[in-house]
Amino acid sequence: MIRIFELKNIISIKDFERQDIEYILDEASKLEDVAKSREISEELKGKILGLMFFEPSTRTRMSFETSMKRLGGECIGFESSGSSSVSKGESIADTAKMFEGYSDALVIRHELEGVSKFISDIVDVPVINAGDGAGQHPTQTLLDLYTIKKEIGEIDNLKIALIGDLKYGRTVHSLSNALGLYKNVTIYLVSPPELKMPDEVLHDVNKTNITLKEATSIEEIIDDVDVLYVTRIQKERFGDIDEYLKIKGAYIINKKMLEGKDLIVMHPLPRIDEIDGDVDDTKYNKYFTQAANAVPVRMAILKTLIKNNPK
Ligand code: NCD
């Protein structure tokens, strides 16, 4: 039996083997009909998912909620620290303990790295990390891989450019870790010097077979890649706003530069100005499909974790 059935928490994509990822991607493709046909199944009927979002979110929170509801379950939760008793001074640990009493699994987003791990150590229900500071965003990576596999056909042999805020962008950290499980992958790192990929991630990547290449402009790499994975400059993680303003708008993708190229454009969203609106109506735009893929993928994650870890 593959390891995914023993997995209780999803804290870091580094806890996954390739076969675990493949299991989730296969399950997701089986669930895509339910997701697309807007049906409701009964797989998680009677189960409750606790959504603890201390940091803003649109896609992640709403897709977890949609996924739980499509599986016949229900959700409770809050969408900012301000709307929970944390604003009255309650500790994260006490808040998590309350949620443990009310729900069958917890989804946590927090601005500090390590908070999901901390909570998973003090509660008995499965915990899913929905983004911890500049750390990890493992479920985003699973839907990114699902999108790549569906659009390109395979993840092995991938040539992908990670563009923008590689320092604070947690999606590119998790994605780089996961790609290390695949064969013959080349990652092109394209970022301003101030926002380079952190050493710890590079250290992990260097232990795998990934070929890493650095570039300073999109033009240098655009003819070589299958995927342009564009990210937002993470304004909220800058200590000094002037530093942000200097870098903002450093890399912008537009329709003209894509013409004649054989690639797709992905973005975890939200986008600010990194992808011009004129790309939206082209065949290159896979970022909205990617966001929609969150539902079957998160359905597969919830189904697997909650069924294998009954209360
Ligand atoms: C990302 C995140 O929160 O890390 N968004 C998402 O979950 N789809 C990316 C971002 O905020 O820039």
Side-chain angles (χ1 to χ4, degrees):
M1 191 146 63
I2 66 170
R3 266 186 63 255
I4 188 83
F5 296 112
E6 290 156 27
L7 212 60
K8 181 164 176 208
N9 305 304
I10 300 190
I11 305 296
S12 166
I13 202 75
K14 291 196 255 178
D15 298 331
F16 280 66
E17 308 277 358
R18 179 172 170 149
Q19 60 187 8
D20 301 325
I21 293 179
E22 245 121 71
Y23 177 83
I24 295 291
L25 305 194
D26 286 350
E27 278 297 296
S29 70
K30 288 186 217 152
L31 288 162
E32 210 174 298
D33 282 349
V34 184
K36 288 234 174 85
S37 64
R38 312 270 155 143
E39 289 164 24
I40 306 276
S41 84
E42 301 221 318
E43 308 241 30
L44 294 182
K45 196 165 180 233
K47 303 288 184 192
I48 293 181
L49 183 65
L51 301 169
M52 300 173 62
F53 278 72
F54 296 93
E55 224 193 12
S57 170
T58 302
R59 273 146 296 274
T60 305
R61 187 171 52 79
M62 292 194 352
S63 62
F64 265 113
E65 202 167 329
T66 306
S67 303
M68 191 61 183
K69 289 181 175 171
R70 291 239 171 276
L71 290 165
E74 313 237 7
C75 297
I76 56 165
F78 56 84
E79 53 190 72
S80 68
S81 302
S83 60
S84 77
S85 285
V86 169
S87 65
K88 298 182 189 168
E90 184 169 57
S91 70
I92 293 174
D94 282 5
T95 308
K97 280 284 183 194
M98 295 308 106
F99 268 75
E100 179 190 19
Y102 305 144
S103 24
D104 297 282
L106 303 181
V107 179
I108 294 155
R109 169 169 287 193
H110 199 281
E111 64 271 22
L112 288 180
E113 238 176 286
V115 166
S116 304
K117 169 78 177 84
F118 166 72
I119 293 177
S120 73
D121 288 339
I122 59 168
V123 300
D124 265 342
V125 292
V127 171
I128 301 171
N129 178 7
D132 61 335
Q136 283 264 323
H137 196 350
T139 65
Q140 176 71 40
T141 294
L142 291 166
L143 74 92
D144 291 345
L145 295 173
Y146 184 78
T147 306
I148 293 168
K149 192 161 179 190
K150 247 186 107 178
E151 300 298 332
I152 313 257
E154 61 171 3
I155 303 168
D156 289 324
N157 306 309
L158 183 72
K159 292 188 170 58
I160 184 170
L162 305 179
I163 301 168
D165 189 344
L166 308 185
K167 179 175 180 188
Y168 297 116
R170 53 197 170 203
T171 65
V172 285
H173 301 164
S174 300
L175 184 56
S176 303
N177 287 136
L179 289 174
L181 300 169
Y182 289 83
K183 290 190 206 114
N184 194 28
V185 171
T186 307
I187 299 183
Y188 296 82
L189 303 171
V190 187
S191 73
E194 299 84 344
L195 297 179
K196 277 184 191 273
M197 189 67 97
D199 285 343
E200 345 38 301
V201 182
L202 290 179
H203 177 77
D204 286 337
V205 170
N206 282 328
K207 285 193 277 185
T208 70
N209 290 324
I210 291 177
T211 306
L212 268 185
K213 296 191 176 168
E214 276 194 77
T216 47
S217 75
I218 296 169
E219 290 69 26
E220 276 173 62
I221 51 91
I222 198 161
D223 288 320
D224 299 332
V225 298
D226 307 306
V227 179
L228 293 176
Y229 189 101
V230 188
T231 64
R232 172 180 73 91
I233 309 285
Q234 310 277 300
K235 180 181 179 188
E236 67 278 24
R237 309 206 196 283
F238 279 73
D240 179 354
I241 194 71
D242 287 338
E243 285 301 307
Y244 166 73
L245 293 172
K246 259 194 259 159
I247 294 161
K248 186 180 158 328
Y251 297 107
I252 297 181
I253 310 283
N254 61 37
K255 183 176 169 182
K256 194 160 179 294
M257 56 203 273
L258 298 173
E259 266 157 18
K261 311 288 184 218
D262 184 18
L263 55 80
I264 61 169
V265 179
M266 293 174 63
H267 190 310
L269 303 177
R271 80 172 138 178
I272 310 303
D273 54 4
E274 317 78 61
I275 303 176
D276 202 291
D278 68 2
V279 182
D280 294 3
D281 293 330
T282 69
K283 63 175 183 179
Y284 305 104
N285 167 8
K286 293 295 169 200
Y287 32 95
F288 294 142
T289 312
Q290 182 186 358
N293 286 341
V295 175
V297 173
R298 291 192 166 117
M299 284 171 78
I301 292 166
L302 291 172
K303 185 180 153 186
T304 307
L305 277 201
I306 295 176
K307 287 209 159 180
N308 292 322
N309 295 284
K311 253 176 112 178

